[in-house]
Amino acid sequence: MSVRRLAENQPDSFIPSQDTKAFAKAAVKKFPAGKQASAVIPILWQVQEQNDGWVCEPAIRWTAETLNMPYIRVYEVATFYTMFNLQPVGKFHVQLCGTTPCMLRGSEELKTVCRNVIGGQMDVTPDGKLSWVEVECLGACVNAPVAQINKDYYEDLTPEIFERILEDLRAGKKVKPGPQNPRHSSEPLGGALTLLNGDGKAKSKGKASLRAKTTAKKKKPKTLKAPRKPR
Ligand code: FES
């Protein structure tokens, strides 16, 4: 993973929008008095949303003042989490997982696609559309290799599919997030297997047939004999 530093070129100031101010106020209210620092992550996230996808140095200062925190504490948070971009990014920012499961499933080839289509890490394409960075595990290893683009995950990628996704995004086309092979979610290819016997047949035939079986087994109720008439 690359070293995380603030961008060399910084704006002179950060002016929070009305939305950002209201968001910060509401975020602080969620915590008990004296614990307002707990709102640092959501506020930095909101700041990033307002600032075209990255957190600038004046925004870190504004966040620290708003939360009455030492500047260095907010700086530490912003530079630690890769969810915060410390320099300008493209309209579609790719976070490509390079941790072991994704590496074993082909993330190195995906990095080559990024270099060919976009350029170096944190470079922004001249049209302002794409940028990329390598990150640690995105928590979707079962669908490796994985890339997060803005807020969506793209899983089970191949170099060809990944390149097509990047080109489609750049062209303004709609792309489908999630697994890029025919499987549903993280189920095996071909469908779920855990409820099947070794012969591929369902272990349980469902409620309806179970009910029918139970009913069939039930003994017929004994018919009561009429009491004998006294002689
Ligand atoms: S290793 Fe890539 S998502 Fe976990």
Side-chain angles (χ1 to χ4, degrees):
M1 197 171 77
S2 55
V3 178
R4 290 175 56 74
R5 298 256 188 275
L6 296 188
E8 231 167 80
N9 296 323
Q10 295 285 341
D12 294 335
S13 61
F14 171 74
I15 300 174
S17 66
Q18 286 306 320
D19 280 355
T20 298
K21 281 188 199 165
F23 182 94
K25 209 172 164 189
V28 167
K29 271 192 193 159
K30 290 181 183 166
F31 301 97
K35 302 287 181 194
Q36 70 276 12
S38 304
V40 65
I41 287 184
I43 293 180
L44 280 174
W45 182 257
Q46 171 62 28
V47 159
Q48 177 165 273
E49 293 276 285
Q50 183 196 315
N51 198 44
D52 294 331
W54 70 292
V55 175
C56 59
E57 196 272 344
I60 293 178
R61 287 194 185 277
W62 176 80
T63 306
E65 281 159 21
T66 303
L67 294 175
N68 200 19
M69 284 171 76
Y71 167 75
I72 188 67
R73 299 270 317 281
V74 183
Y75 176 89
E76 283 166 354
V77 172
T79 52
F80 180 79
Y81 293 106
T82 52
M83 64 193 279
F84 300 122
N85 303 311
L86 303 174
Q87 46 192 294
V89 292
K91 182 175 177 198
F92 301 102
H93 180 59
V94 179
Q95 295 181 64
L96 180 64
C97 176
T99 307
T100 316
C102 281
M103 190 191 75
L104 294 173
R105 296 278 298 158
S107 64
E108 287 300 318
E109 286 81 0
L110 301 185
K111 278 187 217 169
T112 307
V113 171
C114 284
R115 286 187 204 106
N116 293 341
V117 175
I118 305 172
Q121 292 199 48
M122 296 311 284
D123 284 353
V124 179
T125 50
D127 58 7
K129 295 278 176 71
L130 299 169
S131 58
W132 79 283
V133 69
E134 181 184 343
V135 295
E136 299 302 331
C137 181
L138 287 168
C141 327
V142 71
N143 291 71
V146 178
Q148 180 180 349
I149 306 180
N150 295 352
K151 292 174 185 167
D152 289 320
Y153 272 29
Y154 296 82
E155 303 156 334
D156 299 307
L157 292 163
T158 63
E160 297 72 31
I161 291 174
F162 186 44
E163 185 164 349
R164 197 202 62 223
I165 289 173
L166 295 179
E167 294 300 357
D168 283 353
L169 286 171
R170 182 181 239 163
K173 292 186 190 164
K174 223 177 172 190
V175 290
K176 185 180 91 51
Q180 299 299 311
N181 60 14
R183 72 162 150 172
H184 173 253
S185 184
S186 55
E187 287 175 4
L189 266 173
L193 298 171
T194 45
L195 297 178
L196 299 183
N197 284 320
D199 58 5
K201 289 183 184 159
K203 279 180 186 167
S204 157
K205 287 180 182 164
K207 279 182 187 171
S209 60
L210 194 65
R211 205 178 304 122
K213 234 177 178 177
T214 326
T215 323
K217 272 188 181 173
K218 269 186 191 166
K219 287 180 184 172
K220 280 185 181 175
K222 283 180 184 175
T223 45
L224 292 174
K225 286 179 185 174
R228 283 185 184 173
K229 283 179 185 171
R231 290 181 184 173

